[in-house]
């Protein structure tokens, strides 16, 4: 009876962990890379956490009434083992992180150096105190605090600031990039799910910082083309 209850509890924990670790379909290639790394590290961290906690609980229980504690004896084999195990885990974390950091969508400089830039829709972003202006390549029009992009298209944001340091932050699409005055910055993405995503300024830039937000609208290609046509037509 006890065994049954025990296994039910274990199964419940396993389902809970699986739910935690299963990411919702990612909204962009950036987001996908970041979510995948999170999941990967979670699978490593969870068993380790459980292992450490179990040893802790065991030690508390086992030595609860120890009136005559002895100093720990040297155990070189054990020490080498835990040092090696820790090193292996740290290398794994480092290598996993490196591959995500050098993803050409997360670090556009990595894309440039590998020559892997490809075709891309280039949108100019001007950050200022306190708002965003987007200039589109298809015509001579701009939008304010509302960035519209087509889905499944490589998008390059060429960003500059007219005053102080700002930071373009779109958590839903996994984009975050500081923008320094006089030093254009590039951010890239390919959004995969149409919808609206919140955009924030993530660098304290003055009294209007908290209001320096906006929306990123991801449309399918047809809707985007129609939207561009309405924007370009003379008023
Ligand atoms: Cu711009 Cu904070």
């Amino acid at each position: 009876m006890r065994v049954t209850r025990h296994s039910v509890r274990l199964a419940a924990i396993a389902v809970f962990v699986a739910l935690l670790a299963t990411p919702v379909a990612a909204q962009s290639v950036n987001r996908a890379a970041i979510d995948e790394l999170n999941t990967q590290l979670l699978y490593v961290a969870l068993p380790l956490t459980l292992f450490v906690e179990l040893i802790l609980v065991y030690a508390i229980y086992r030595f609860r009434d120890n009136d005559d504690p002895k100093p720990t004896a040297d155990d070189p084999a054990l020490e080498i083992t835990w040092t090696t195990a820790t090193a292996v885990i740290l290398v794994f974390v480092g290598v996993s992180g490196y591959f995500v950091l050098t993803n050409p969508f997360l670090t556009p400089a990595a894309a440039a150096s590998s020559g892997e830039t490809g075709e891309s829709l280039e949108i100019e972003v001007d950050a200022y105190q306190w708002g965003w202006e987007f200039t589109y390549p298809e015509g001579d029009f701009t939008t304010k605090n509302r960035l519209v992009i087509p889905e499944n298209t490589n998008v390059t944001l060429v960003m500059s600031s007219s005053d102080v340091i700002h930071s373009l932050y779109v958590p839903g699409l996994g984009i975050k990039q500081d923008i320094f005055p006089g030093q254009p910055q590039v951010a890239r993405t390919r959004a995969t799910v149409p919808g609206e995503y919140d955009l924030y300024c993530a660098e304290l830039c003055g009294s209007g910082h908290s209001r320096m937000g906006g929306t990123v609208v991801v449309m399918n290609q047809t809707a985007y083309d129609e939207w561009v046509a309405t924007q370009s037509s003379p008023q």
Side-chain angles (χ1 to χ4, degrees):
M1 189 61 195
R2 189 183 280 173
V3 172
T4 319
R5 218 179 272 169
H6 184 66
S7 28
V8 167
R9 213 169 290 160
L10 273 184
I13 292 174
V15 168
F16 179 67
V17 168
L19 282 176
L20 268 185
T22 311
V24 213
Q27 304 91 328
S28 75
V29 286
N30 313 44
R31 192 70 253 177
I34 296 169
D35 287 349
E36 211 172 284
L37 177 66
N38 260 338
T39 311
Q40 219 172 54
L41 297 185
L42 193 67
Y43 278 127
V44 177
L46 271 178
L48 282 177
T49 310
L50 277 178
F51 177 67
V52 171
E53 293 303 316
L54 281 177
I55 290 181
L56 180 67
V57 170
Y58 167 78
I60 292 172
Y61 179 77
R62 170 83 172 69
F63 302 107
R64 66 192 184 287
D65 281 330
N66 194 354
D67 293 329
D68 183 25
K70 301 266 189 305
T72 312
D74 267 358
D75 190 340
L78 187 62
E79 282 167 29
I80 289 171
T81 307
W82 80 52
T83 307
T84 312
T86 310
V88 168
I89 292 164
L90 287 181
V91 168
F92 172 78
V93 171
V95 170
S96 315
Y98 177 82
F99 278 115
V100 173
L101 278 174
T102 54
N103 178 310
F105 283 96
L106 282 127
T107 305
S113 65
S114 69
E116 190 198 324
T117 38
E119 212 169 282
S120 193
L121 180 71
E122 210 171 286
I123 297 173
E124 270 173 51
V125 180
D126 181 36
Y128 56 91
Q129 285 171 314
W130 288 277
W132 306 91
E133 189 173 83
F134 305 99
T135 308
Y136 298 78
E138 292 94 340
D140 197 13
F141 65 91
T142 61
T143 56
K144 276 202 160 70
N145 299 332
R146 191 177 145 91
L147 168 63
V148 183
I149 57 173
E151 71 170 326
N152 295 323
T153 301
N154 291 353
V155 173
T156 301
L157 304 172
V158 182
M159 315 191 287
S160 52
S161 163
S162 4
D163 35 55
V164 299
I165 304 177
H166 301 277
S167 180
L168 182 93
Y169 182 35
V170 189
L173 298 177
I175 306 171
K176 194 177 198 184
Q177 177 60 55
D178 278 2
I179 312 164
F180 309 98
Q183 198 183 319
Q185 302 288 321
V186 168
R188 300 178 74 214
T189 192
R190 185 168 72 233
T192 44
V193 180
E196 298 206 349
Y197 301 92
D198 289 330
L199 180 159
Y200 307 92
C201 176
E203 186 64 67
L204 188 59
C205 56
S207 61
H209 164 68
S210 62
R211 285 179 275 114
M212 192 174 163
T215 310
V216 179
V217 184
V218 177
M219 296 178 174
N220 66 45
Q221 190 66 50
T222 321
Y224 178 77
D225 291 340
E226 283 168 9
W227 177 80
V228 167
T230 63
Q231 296 296 310
S232 317
S233 61
Q235 303 295 315

